Amino acid sequence: MAQAALPKSSLTVTSAPFWHCGRTVKGMMTDTLIALAPAMAMAVFRYGYHAVEVLAWAGLAAVLAEALAQKLMAREYTADDYTALVGGLLFAFMLPATAPGWLVCIGSALTILLGRMVFGGYGMSPVCAPAVGWCIMTISWPDLIDINGMLLNWDLVHPLSELKFFGLSAVTSLSLPSLMLGQNLGALGAEQSLMLLLGGAYLIARKQLRWYIPVSFLVGVFLTALLYNLIDPQRYAPPLFHLFTGGTMLAAFFLMPYPSASPVWRTAMLLYGLFGGALLIIIRTYGIYPDGMAFAVLLSNMFTPLFDLIQPKPFGGR
């Protein structure tokens, strides 16, 4: 018996008509670059050509390292989504303006290779990639990463080093506006606290970043520093000093909420932020590094799977 011919439309296979929220990785990275722009501009204004050189080498090395890794892994190039560029710039933000070019290139390449590509690429890393690069450089070449090396070129002080080695009396003359505007020595972009705060507010306003981690991290820094200050106000700095010095704002808005390395549930994000903020002050108080912001971020990343166990109960679940 001859089979009846089926109409062509009944054999057509297409994807389901899913709605697209309109958010793309490239769009997220473009907003992140816009958010970083004020701090970059302030760093260039403060440190001139030195800042331009560090930022340029870091961005270029990150993009090239990602392209090389993708070629070896036979993957499609993704340099046009700006994820590698953002990773390289965040790494540069944690360096002194006097960092030599070769160190910037090696550190930026390791940020991408060891912080991201070994885990499969962007979105798969369980740790904050720029913090990985900074820790490797700090342990390998501590003298070249040391902020005090900048004393030879600029007649300014590094607040956290002054507090660490000379006590609270050495930083009482530093005003809050000078700390917020980065009018002291520090990492290239991390010291631009006010500009980073504005950038973070922009990301929240654009709905590229939820407020839970940044706000809880800052609350964790404030409360822990306040506790130490109440215990001994002659020895420990007040909370506002810690909020606007070092990499506090950089960690709050750009490193702690690193995609794939931070929790996804609201309660877990709040606890994760509080934990990271408390760790930052503890490391500054007892650690050998004046800031240690990257270590606090990486240690917090290690606890992300535990925080993610705190999930809302599903409907009908016991």
Side-chain angles (χ1 to χ4, degrees):
M1 187 173 64
Q3 291 183 340
L6 293 173
K8 253 186 183 179
S9 59
S10 64
L11 300 175
T12 303
V13 178
T14 62
S15 59
F18 297 117
W19 283 97
H20 194 287
C21 66
R23 296 180 65 186
T24 62
V25 172
K26 185 174 182 178
M28 292 170 57
M29 292 301 109
T30 302
D31 276 334
T32 304
L33 288 173
I34 294 173
L36 292 175
M40 278 193 285
M42 188 62 81
V44 172
F45 171 75
R46 190 79 60 203
Y47 302 115
Y49 177 74
H50 297 276
V52 176
E53 193 175 22
V54 171
L55 291 168
W57 280 122
L60 179 63
V63 172
L64 292 178
E66 184 190 59
L68 176 62
Q70 288 172 335
K71 181 176 178 60
L72 295 174
M73 298 164 72
R75 289 188 176 183
E76 185 180 352
Y77 295 116
T78 57
D80 60 345
D81 65 10
Y82 308 142
T83 55
L85 178 61
V86 169
L89 291 178
L90 287 176
F91 169 71
F93 268 39
M94 293 186 281
L95 298 178
T98 51
W102 64 267
L103 181 137
V104 177
C105 291
I106 292 175
S108 189
L110 292 178
T111 293
I112 299 300
L113 298 176
L114 296 184
R116 181 184 301 177
M117 299 309 293
V118 295
F119 299 104
Y122 180 75
M124 302 179 193
S125 173
V127 291
C128 176
V132 172
W134 183 87
C135 289
I136 293 173
M137 293 297 101
T138 299
I139 294 171
S140 302
W141 292 284
D143 294 337
L144 299 177
I145 294 291
D146 190 1
I147 301 295
N148 288 325
M150 299 170 71
L151 291 171
L152 298 174
N153 296 348
W154 291 276
D155 187 19
L156 297 170
V157 298
H158 182 218
L160 287 174
S161 293
E162 294 287 310
L163 176 66
K164 187 76 177 176
F165 301 113
F166 301 106
L168 184 57
S169 60
V171 297
T172 51
S173 61
L174 300 177
S175 65
L176 186 60
S178 74
L179 296 176
M180 296 177 69
L181 294 172
Q183 294 175 338
N184 302 286
L185 286 186
L188 192 61
E191 285 291 333
Q192 319 303 330
S193 299
L194 181 60
M195 299 297 111
L196 292 171
L197 182 60
L198 293 175
Y202 169 79
L203 289 179
I204 293 174
R206 290 280 297 165
K207 300 187 184 305
Q208 301 288 11
L209 176 65
R210 287 183 287 182
W211 62 267
Y212 306 114
I213 293 177
V215 172
S216 60
F217 178 81
L218 295 177
V219 170
V221 171
F222 185 90
L223 292 179
T224 310
L226 179 63
L227 177 63
Y228 277 101
N229 186 249
L230 290 175
I231 292 173
D232 189 352
Q234 304 301 320
R235 180 179 179 187
Y236 299 110
L240 288 180
F241 175 85
H242 285 290
L243 281 179
F244 295 104
T245 53
T248 303
M249 291 297 168
L250 182 67
F253 292 101
F254 297 96
L255 301 184
M256 285 292 289
Y258 195 78
S260 78
S262 54
V264 296
W265 303 104
R266 182 171 57 186
T267 304
M269 285 191 284
L270 292 172
L271 294 175
Y272 168 81
L274 287 170
F275 180 71
L279 270 182
L280 177 67
I281 298 302
I282 291 172
I283 291 175
R284 284 182 181 179
T285 303
Y286 301 111
I288 61 172
Y289 299 99
D291 193 349
M293 168 263 297
F295 294 116
V297 172
L298 290 179
L299 285 173
S300 301
N301 293 159
M302 297 295 103
F303 286 87
T304 291
L306 293 179
F307 286 122
D308 261 338
L309 294 177
I310 308 171
Q311 301 177 10
K313 186 180 294 184
F315 179 74
R318 295 182 178 178

